[in-house]
Each structure stands twice: as structure tokens, then as C-alpha cells.
């Protein structure tokens, strides 16, 4: 790792690299180099650690490259950052130009600090270094013998994300943009008189979403199984029942599921709840928020050059809206002539009809009716046929079948194009952009009687997806959140609720395609590798496989 300070154009480089699996050491005045490994292990008595420390102890002269910061008064000269040094001499295209003072070059020594970003040798006599501070880069020329250490930059940011801020300007910009976006979102709600709250991360029973939670225990309650929250929803709605009217929360959630380009077991979520709000209000508020984020991103591009033009995202308002049932029937018919959306109250016929549709659409075979519940098959069909329509522009999918949304209000709708059949649907909308879900919002179910019925129905569907019967389920699988149902008995006014994945939103406006690229330390695979013992090569293999 390269230390952040550079004085008198001498580079200070760390002799004990904690970020790279291997470095190459070049001693002052020497033309030979030796490679040493750096296992990131907690075992201080490991053979590799002992060999590394013994090697470094033999070169105590390297201690000079761990300086204390000297203030301008101490050195009796003006010490300035590379950014200020080049503030009026920086080309916007990132290139270099000769630094001038009053039209002439500098002749007196200057004291400049910044991060050394690159080292390039020109033969055996000269080396060039780039000293960077924020968005300014100063190039300095040194005698080759004054470079004591050279780091091997072959390790990728994804493999060792802790080094990302050191070697990748775009990664640093992404983290700075994330901070700017979070402040913007908070301001958006606070300007509308919302109150920001925090709710528990540890709970007796995680709810508010269909996901597998992390289980743990606490010292004070060793006989009680606790879970990390999978969503803050039920706690926030308890606050609405308690008298709050406009609240929001931005914070972490945890789901014990897979890792891919869009998913990480630990992620950030934003949710808000507002009384006397219907589905149309939620949709309009979402479009207003995204429009303001586009304007903020456009402004940020003046200093954050890696950000894409938000005009290319296809977020012109109003966004297109399609209703789930008629849109799905229309999308299936080219694959299955004469298909009509089934009556979901007849479970056996509905499962057979949806399984056939899944089979001809190319994802599942007809025997998937024995594996998927009705909500599971509907979700799969939506993924195949509806969500992909958002590649042409932002898309709202509204009014899902009621069985897919147990926490949302529901009502019956008759579709004239569907032979006048009446279908129970939810007051729900999902926003998709380029095939990815960004927002899920709905009018909240506030009837304790209906909520308990929907919880029981949801429990049955979850057991079907797991291939279990009621008799085969354990106590946790049979339990429902009776405490939340009891809270509804105290009364919850008509309320609109909204949730959005913060990491995905940052990725959308920053142009980052992978969730790992918008997180400080990458996904859980990267974090686990940082704390693993043993050679770094084995850890990298696991990360690449994930």
C-alpha cells in the first residue's frame, strides 16, 4: 500500500503490505527485487508471518518510510495538497500540463502531499510518479534509486475490495456519490415533514418480506432464538399504529440467501410510510424522487467524471403502467394460443394452467406444479414475460393477484377483456428499470382479521414451495406474527408504504452494474475473505467461484 503523504517529491510506501497477497521489495540503491507473501491471517505465529517479519526486521532502514506528518510551521514552508497545487493548472480531460507560476516554471523546492497512484520506470535512472489529491494529479520525476518499494497491482478490486479506494478513482467516486445520494434522499423526505426513525436489527421473528433470515442468540437470552431483520416494515407500521403519521428509515437488512451481481446477504434499504396515501400517490412520489435524483446526478457530473448521463436511463415521466393480470395473459398468448388467466380460487385448475404456461415459455416443465405454489409460478411468469418489458423504459407493474401480496390491501376487479371474470388483486405496484426491480409499494392491509387470514394463506404457500405439508412443518414454519396482528387491532389508518433497495439505486445512477461495486468492501464473499486464514490464493478462488 502506498502511504498518503509525499514530501519533497519522495514517495513513502508501506513496507508491510496488508492489502495485497504479494509485493515486490526493491531496496534503495539496489537493482534486485525479492517477493514476499502477505497472508491476511489472524494467526500471528504462522510460518508465513514469521518469515515476513524476519525479512522486514533485517531492513530497518525502511522505517524512514513511516513518517509523522510535519505541519507547514515545522518545515517553515507552505505544504499544500496536490489538488491545491494544480487547482489552476489541471486539464479537464485528465491529461498533464507543465506547472507554471506567473508564466514561469518553479525553481524553488515545494512541499506537496497526496497519494502516490502509479510508479513508472524510465530505464534505470528515472522514475515517474503520479501524486493525486481528490481529482487533481501531479506528476513528479525521481531518480530510480529513491523508489524503495513497488507494489504488484495485479490484484483486482473485486478480489481485494479494501484496496479499491487506493487504486481505483472510479470506486472512490462511487462511494462519494453514494454519500451524496443518501443525503439527497434524506433531504427529499425531511423537506416533506417526514420523521426519520430507527427500528431494531435483532428481533424474535423476522418478517415483512419472503426471505430466509440469519439466526443468532444473545448472552442475556441464551435460550431464545433471535433473527436479523429481513426488512424494517412491520416495526415501522407498528409506529404508524402508535400514532406516527409520516416516517422513513434508511438502514441495513439481512437475508440469508445467495450472492450474485444484484444480491448480497447484507444490503441497505429505504422505506417510508404515510397515512391517508393511496397507490397513485406512491407512484407519483416515486417518480418525483427519481426525477430529483436525475437532476442531482447531472449536477454531480461536473466533479464526478465517471458518472453516466442520467438522460440515458429512460426515466422520462410519467412511467409506463401495466396491470399484472391482463398484461400477463396478453404476453402468454403468443406462446400458448387461447390462454386465459385462470380463476385462482380453483387451486387445482389454476396450478395446472400456470404450470403449462411456464412449460411453453421455456423456463420450467409442466411438473413444476408439484414444486411451485401459485404465487411462486405467477412470480416466475412475471419475471419471464413482464419485467423484461422494462428494457425499453421504466415500467410500473400494478395490481398483482392478491395471493402474491399478503401485506397489501386487496379488492376485486372485473376485466372486460378477460371475459368479465372478477379477480382479487392487491393495491400494489413494482417499478422495474432495465429488468431490475427498484421499488415495491402498496396500500397497507390494516384489517387485523384480513391480515391474519393472509398470514395463514402465505404460510401454506411457503410450505408448498418447500415441498412440505402442515404435518411436516416445524414450529417456526407454522408461526405467524400474532404480535403484529394485535398491533393492528389498536387501529392503523389507511396508509401507503414504500420500499427501495439503496444499493441498486446507487448502481443505477452511478452506472455500476454489480452490487459489489457500490459497497465499500464488496459482497459478503469479499468480507469473509478479508478475515480468512491461510494463503490469499485460496481465498481469491472462492471469491471468483462465487
Amino acid at each position: 500500500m502506498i502511504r498518503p503523504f509525499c514530501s519533497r517529491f519522495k514517495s513513502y510506501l508501506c513496507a508491510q503490505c496488508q492489502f495485497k497477497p504479494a509485493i515486490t521489495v526493491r531496496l534503495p540503491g539496489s537493482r534486485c527485487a525479492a517477493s514476499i507473501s502477505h497472508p491476511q491471517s489472524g494467526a500471528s505465529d504462522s510460518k508465513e508471518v514469521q518469515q515476513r517479519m524476519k525479512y522486514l526486521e533485517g531492513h530497518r532502514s525502511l522505517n524512514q518510510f513511516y513518517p509523522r506528518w510535519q505541519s507547514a510551521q515545522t518545515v517553515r514552508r507552505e505544504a499544500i495538497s496536490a489538488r491545491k497545487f494544480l487547482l489552476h493548472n489541471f486539464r479537464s480531460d485528465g491529461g498533464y500540463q507543465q506547472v507554471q507560476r506567473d508564466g514561469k516554471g518553479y525553481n524553488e523546492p515545494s512541499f506537496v502531499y497526496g497519494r502516490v497512484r502509479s510508479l513508472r520506470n524510465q530505464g534505470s535512472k528515472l522514475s515517474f510518479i503520479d501524486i493525486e489529491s481528490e481529482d487533481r494529479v501531479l506528476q513528479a520525476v525521481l531518480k530510480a534509486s529513491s523508489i524503495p518499494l513497488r507494489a504488484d497491482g495485479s490484484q483486482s478490486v473485486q478480489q481485494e475490495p479494501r484496496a479499491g479506494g487506493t487504486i481505483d478513482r472510479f470506486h472512490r467516486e462511487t462511494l462519494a456519490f453514494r454519500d451524496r445520494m443518501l443525503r439527497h434522499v434524506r433531504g427529499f423526505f425531511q423537506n416533506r415533514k417526514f420523521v426519520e426513525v430507527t427500528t431494531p436489527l435483532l428481533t424474535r421473528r423476522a418478517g415483512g418480506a419472503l426471505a430466509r433470515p440469519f439466526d443468532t442468540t444473545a448472552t442475556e437470552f441464551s435460550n431464545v432464538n433471535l433473527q436479523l431483520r429481513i426488512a424494517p416494515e412491520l416495526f415501522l407500521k407498528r409506529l404508524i399504529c402508535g400514532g406516527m403519521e409520516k416516517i422513513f428509515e434508511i438502514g441495513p437488512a439481512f437475508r440469508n440467501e445467495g450472492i450474485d451481481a444484484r444480491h448480497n446477504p447484507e444490503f441497505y434499504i429505504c422505506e417510508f410510510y404515510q397515512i391517508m396515501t393511496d397507490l397513485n400517490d406512491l407512484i407519483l412520489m416515486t417518480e418525483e424522487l427519481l426525477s430529483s435524483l436525475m437532476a442531482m446526478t447531472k449536477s454531480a457530473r461536473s466533479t464526478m467524471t465517471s458518472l453516466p448521463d442520467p438522460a440515458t436511463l429512460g426515466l422520462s415521466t410519467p412511467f409506463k403502467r401495466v396491470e399484472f393480470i391482463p398484461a400477463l395473459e396478453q404476453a402468454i398468448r403468443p406462446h400458448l394460443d387461447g390462454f386465459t388467466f385462470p380463476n385462482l380460487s380453483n387451486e387445482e385448475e389454476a396450478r395446472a394452467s400456470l404450470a403449462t404456461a411456464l412449460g411453453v415459455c421455456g423456463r420450467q416443465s409442466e411438473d413444476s406444479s408439484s414444486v411451485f405454489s401459485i404465487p411462486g409460478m405467477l412470480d416466475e411468469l412475471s419475471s419471464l414475460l413482464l419485467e423484461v418489458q422494462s428494457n425499453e423504459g421504466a415500467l410500473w407493474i400494478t395490481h398483482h393477484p392478491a395471493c402474491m401480496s399478503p401485506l397489501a390491501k386487496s379488492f376485486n376487479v372485473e376485466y372486460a377483456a378477460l371475459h368479465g371474470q372478477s379477480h382479487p388483486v392487491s393495491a400494489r405496484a413494482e417499478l422495474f428499470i432495465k429488468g431490475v426491480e427498484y421499488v415495491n409499494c402498496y396500500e397497507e392491509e390494516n384489517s387485523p382479521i384480513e391480515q391474519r387470514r393472509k398470514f395463514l394463506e402465505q404460510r401454506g404457500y411457503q410450505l408448498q414451495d418447500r415441498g412440505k405439508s402442515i404435518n411436516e412443518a416445524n414450529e417456526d414454519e407454522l408461526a405467524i406474527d400474532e404480535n403484529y396482528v394485535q398491533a393492528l387491532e389498536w387501529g392503523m389508518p389507511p396508509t401507503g408504504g414504500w420500499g427501495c433497495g439503496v444499493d441498486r439505486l446507487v448502481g443505477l445512477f452511478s452506472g455500476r452494474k454489480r452490487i459489489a461495486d457500490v459497497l465499500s468492501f464488496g459482497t459478503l464473499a469479499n468480507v469473509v475473505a478479508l478475515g480468512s486464514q491461510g494463503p490469499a490464493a485460496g481465498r481469491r478462488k472462492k471469491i471468483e467461484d462465487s
Side-chain angles (χ1 to χ4, degrees), residues 178-189:
R178 180 190 180 98
D179 170 70
R180 187 165 179 168
M181 174 175 283
L182 285 171
R183 285 187 280 117
H184 180 91
V185 172
R186 280 190 167 93
F188 179 87
F189 291 118

Side-chain angles (χ1 to χ4, degrees), residues 190-210:
Q190 290 167 348
N191 291 339
R192 288 159 179 78
K193 310 302 182 184
F194 278 76
V195 176
E196 183 173 11
V197 298
T198 57
T199 57
L201 298 181
L202 284 171
T203 178
R204 181 68 183 270
R205 180 173 293 109
L210 297 178

Side-chain angles (χ1 to χ4, degrees), residues 1-23:
M1 174 193 173
I2 296 167
R3 281 297 189 205
F5 303 119
C6 181
S7 180
R8 293 184 185 271
F9 294 144
K10 289 183 179 180
S11 60
Y12 290 98
L13 309 177
C14 179
Q16 297 186 40
C17 173
Q18 299 296 320
F19 289 44
K20 302 291 182 182
I23 61 174

Side-chain angles (χ1 to χ4, degrees), residues 243-467:
M244 304 292 285
E245 295 187 354
K246 300 169 74 172
I247 57 176
F248 78 98
E249 180 174 12
I250 300 176
F254 308 85
R255 298 180 183 179
N256 196 0
E257 297 175 345
I259 301 174
D260 58 31
R262 296 291 180 185
H263 298 87
N264 188 48
E266 178 183 356
F267 62 99
Y268 251 60
I269 192 171
C270 175
E271 292 193 7
F272 80 79
Y273 294 84
Q274 178 174 267
I275 67 171
M276 310 307 175
T277 301
D278 64 13
L279 190 62
N280 190 60
D281 295 331
L282 295 171
I283 290 175
L284 294 177
M285 194 169 178
T286 303
E287 294 178 358
E288 186 178 353
L289 172 61
L290 292 184
S291 294
S292 70
L293 286 172
M294 286 182 64
M296 182 273 292
T297 304
K298 184 177 180 180
S299 174
R301 294 183 74 218
S302 61
T303 56
M304 300 180 180
T305 56
S306 66
L307 298 179
D309 183 356
T312 64
L313 298 176
L315 299 181
S316 300
T317 56
F319 301 157
K320 180 182 177 181
R321 304 186 194 184
V322 298
E323 293 195 51
F324 189 101
I325 292 177
L328 184 62
E329 181 178 278
Q330 184 179 4
I332 291 176
R333 282 186 173 175
H335 305 275
L336 186 61
D337 188 45
F339 175 83
T340 58
F341 195 86
N343 181 358
L344 300 183
S345 62
N346 189 330
E347 184 172 341
E348 185 175 349
E349 290 185 7
R351 285 166 60 85
S353 175
L354 295 175
T356 301
L358 274 173
V360 299
C361 291
R363 179 66 67 86
Q364 300 290 342
S365 60
E366 293 190 17
D367 63 359
S368 54
S369 60
S370 62
V371 178
F372 281 126
S373 62
I374 288 177
M377 288 190 284
L378 288 171
D379 188 66
E380 187 78 4
L381 285 167
S382 175
S383 175
L384 283 168
L385 303 171
L386 298 185
E387 297 170 15
V388 295
Q389 297 178 22
S390 65
N391 290 327
E392 302 172 358
L395 175 71
W396 285 109
I397 300 177
T398 68
H399 299 140
H400 304 62
C403 61
M404 299 178 68
S405 311
L407 291 167
K409 293 292 287 186
S410 55
F411 55 96
N412 289 328
V413 173
E414 288 188 8
Y415 294 103
L418 301 182
H419 318 292
Q421 292 186 27
S422 177
H423 295 275
V425 301
S426 59
R428 175 189 178 190
E430 288 182 294
L431 177 63
F432 289 87
I433 304 171
K434 298 187 184 303
V436 178
E437 179 193 1
Y438 285 91
V439 171
N440 185 24
C441 57
Y442 40 81
E443 298 173 23
E444 304 294 338
E445 179 58 76
N446 56 357
S447 164
I449 299 172
E450 277 296 291
Q451 187 61 83
R452 192 173 194 280
R453 179 189 68 79
K454 291 177 180 179
F455 275 157
L456 292 172
E457 184 181 60
Q458 177 191 36
R459 182 184 68 182
Y461 290 138
Q462 287 177 312
L463 291 176
Q464 287 179 11
D465 284 332
R466 295 168 186 166

Side-chain angles (χ1 to χ4, degrees), residues 2-11 80-83 85-86 90 96 111-120 128-142:
I2 296 167
R3 281 297 189 205
F5 303 119
C6 181
S7 180
R8 293 184 185 271
F9 294 144
K10 289 183 179 180
S11 60
I80 59 176
S81 70
R83 183 183 187 279
F85 193 74
L86 291 170
F90 181 72
Y96 298 101
F111 293 78
V112 179
Y113 61 87
R115 292 181 183 267
V116 178
R117 292 297 180 190
S118 67
L119 306 172
R120 300 182 301 281
F128 296 89
I129 66 172
D130 288 348
I131 306 171
E132 182 178 284
S133 179
E134 297 183 31
D135 58 346
R136 301 294 191 265
V137 179
L138 173 69
Q139 186 181 82
V141 183
L142 302 172

